[in-house]
């Protein structure tokens, strides 16, 4: 029950962020700052993978969870202190309010209004496109990152080195997220950035897991870093697209929420599928087929997004 409550809290924090960033930064800085927002998951994954093996032997699981609770409480205080309230943002009424528009006055939306926004989000093509694209990205990234400790454990690298290698692979994703923000800020079409990300992930996964010819371990790990780093172009672009493809201003949070739910669904389906294929094959050499299929669907969705943006 408490774990489910924690999940609800995560969604309450995560869903409003893109809309809040839109209100807090200028139009010029918006793509880059949404790319910065995209690093939250790979950064947290890398910190957990590095910190877990170092701290768990010293403090145990209960103390580790208490530490996470303390960090969350500190972030709550920081948000109260540094993030302007709705009323404060409503008084800005200038360029600092985001895209030059005055943010809506603080109000208490009723249940029917909230259901109406949800219905509008789920009946619009834009939110579905970004959500499904996020799902096919998250399923393969989470599957590969999640199985890395098991893959490296069979290589007798040791727990410490395995944790470092996995954390570095996860942290490489941060570079892609930031690069996406820079590219979008310079006017590169978001759909093109998405296509680069999916194509690179397909090549990176193939070089990492193929078994047609022997490759040095260092080259395979470099391909893995490329898989994660170039994959970061995708979430960095999708958060920006969620702002643009939301059916209305007040539907940005529900659009990001739907992206998050579909991402969770992808993370739920991807690892078991990769594990099932590995079990049938007797190893990880066909993992690239699963990731390649996800990338192919992602490329098709990127084309649909490009056509959608062209019509808007």
């Amino acid at each position: 029950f408490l774990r489910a409550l924690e999940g609800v809290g995560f969604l309450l924090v995560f869903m409003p962020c893109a809309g809040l960033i839109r209100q807090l930064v200028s139009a010029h800085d918006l793509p880059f700052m949404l790319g910065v927002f995209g690093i939250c998951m790979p950064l947290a994954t890398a910190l957990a993978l590095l910190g877990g093996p170092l701290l768990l032997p010293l403090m145990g699981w209960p103390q580790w969870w208490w530490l996470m609770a303390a960090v969350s409480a500190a972030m709550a205080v920081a948000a109260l202190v540094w993030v302007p309230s709705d009323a404060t943002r409503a008084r800005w009424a200038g360029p600092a309010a985001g895209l030059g528009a005055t943010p809506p006055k603080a109000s208490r939306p009723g249940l029917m209004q909230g259901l109406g926004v949800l219905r509008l989000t789920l009946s619009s093509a834009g939110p579905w496109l970004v959500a499904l694209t996020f799902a096919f990205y998250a399923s393969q990234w989470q599957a590969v990152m999640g199985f890395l400790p098991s893959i490296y454990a069979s290589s007798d690298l040791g727990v410490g080195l395995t944790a470092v290698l996995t954390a570095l692979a996860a942290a490489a994703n941060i570079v892609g997220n930031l690069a996406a923000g820079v590219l979008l800020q310079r006017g590169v079409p978001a759909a093109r950035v998405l296509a680069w990300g999916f194509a690179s992930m397909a090549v990176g996964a193939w070089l990492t897991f193929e078994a047609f010819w022997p490759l040095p371990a260092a080259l395979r790990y470099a391909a893995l870093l490329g898989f994660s780093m170039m994959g970061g172009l995708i979430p960095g672009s999708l958060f920006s697209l969620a702002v643009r493809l939301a059916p209305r201003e007040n539907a940005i949070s529900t659009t990001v929420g739907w992206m998050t739910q579909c991402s969770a669904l992808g993370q739920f389906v991807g690892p078991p599928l990769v594990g099932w294929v590995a079990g049938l094959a007797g190893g990880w050499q066909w993992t690239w087929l699963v990731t390649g299929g996800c990338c192919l669907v992602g490329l098709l969705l990127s084309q649909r997004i490009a056509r959608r943006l062209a019509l808007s």
Side-chain angles (χ1 to χ4, degrees):
F1 172 78
L2 292 174
R3 182 65 181 86
L5 182 62
E6 182 191 12
V8 172
F10 168 78
L11 291 176
L12 290 176
V13 170
F14 194 80
M15 290 192 302
C17 284
L20 182 61
I21 292 171
R22 179 186 174 110
Q23 294 180 13
L24 290 175
V25 304
S26 67
H28 178 266
D29 294 331
L30 181 62
F32 178 73
M33 291 309 301
L34 288 172
V36 173
F37 171 54
I39 75 173
C40 60
M41 295 303 290
L43 177 61
T45 302
L47 290 175
L49 288 169
L50 284 175
L54 294 176
L55 296 178
L56 281 175
L58 301 176
M59 60 174 54
W61 282 104
Q63 290 77 19
W64 174 260
W65 284 104
W66 278 114
L67 177 61
M68 295 300 99
V71 172
S72 297
M75 289 305 303
V77 173
L80 286 173
V81 172
W82 284 310
V83 178
S85 66
D86 291 347
T88 300
R89 294 200 308 275
R91 289 195 298 269
W92 287 352
L99 299 181
T102 304
K105 293 183 179 180
S107 61
R108 290 187 177 181
L111 176 61
M112 295 308 297
Q113 181 183 352
L115 291 176
V117 173
L118 180 61
R119 188 183 306 112
L120 175 65
T121 301
L122 296 180
S123 61
S124 302
W128 278 96
L129 286 173
V130 294
L132 290 175
T133 305
F134 209 164
F136 280 98
Y137 157 77
S139 61
Q140 56 177 316
W141 190 83
Q142 185 62 40
V144 172
M145 293 300 122
F147 278 121
L148 275 186
S150 299
I151 296 172
Y152 287 145
S154 62
S155 303
D156 298 325
L157 293 176
V159 176
L161 184 56
T162 295
V164 170
L165 292 176
T166 307
L168 286 176
N173 194 259
I174 297 172
V175 179
N177 277 274
L178 296 177
V182 173
L183 291 171
L184 295 176
Q185 194 172 31
R186 294 182 177 180
V188 179
R192 186 183 304 172
V193 178
L194 284 177
W196 292 344
F198 278 115
S200 300
M201 290 185 82
V203 175
W206 180 68
L207 290 174
T208 301
F209 296 105
E210 63 80 30
F212 297 106
W213 61 78
L215 293 176
L219 180 58
R220 292 188 185 274
Y221 186 70
L224 175 67
L225 292 178
F227 167 88
S228 181
M229 181 178 66
M230 295 301 291
L233 295 174
I234 297 170
S237 302
L238 287 175
F239 286 117
S240 179
L241 285 169
V243 173
R244 297 172 60 185
L245 293 177
R248 282 207 309 253
E249 178 84 16
N250 64 346
I252 294 176
S253 293
T254 50
T255 300
V256 174
W258 188 231
M259 281 176 54
T260 306
Q261 290 293 343
C262 289
S263 170
L265 178 62
Q267 294 176 57
F268 176 75
V269 174
L273 180 59
V274 169
W276 177 68
V277 171
L280 291 179
W284 305 99
Q285 64 269 22
W286 292 106
T287 299
W288 62 271
L289 279 180
V290 180
T291 60
C294 292
C295 289
L296 178 60
V297 177
L299 287 169
L300 295 175
L301 288 169
S302 301
Q303 293 179 354
R304 292 289 301 272
I305 289 174
R307 289 197 292 267
R308 180 80 180 177
L309 292 172
L311 294 174
S312 62

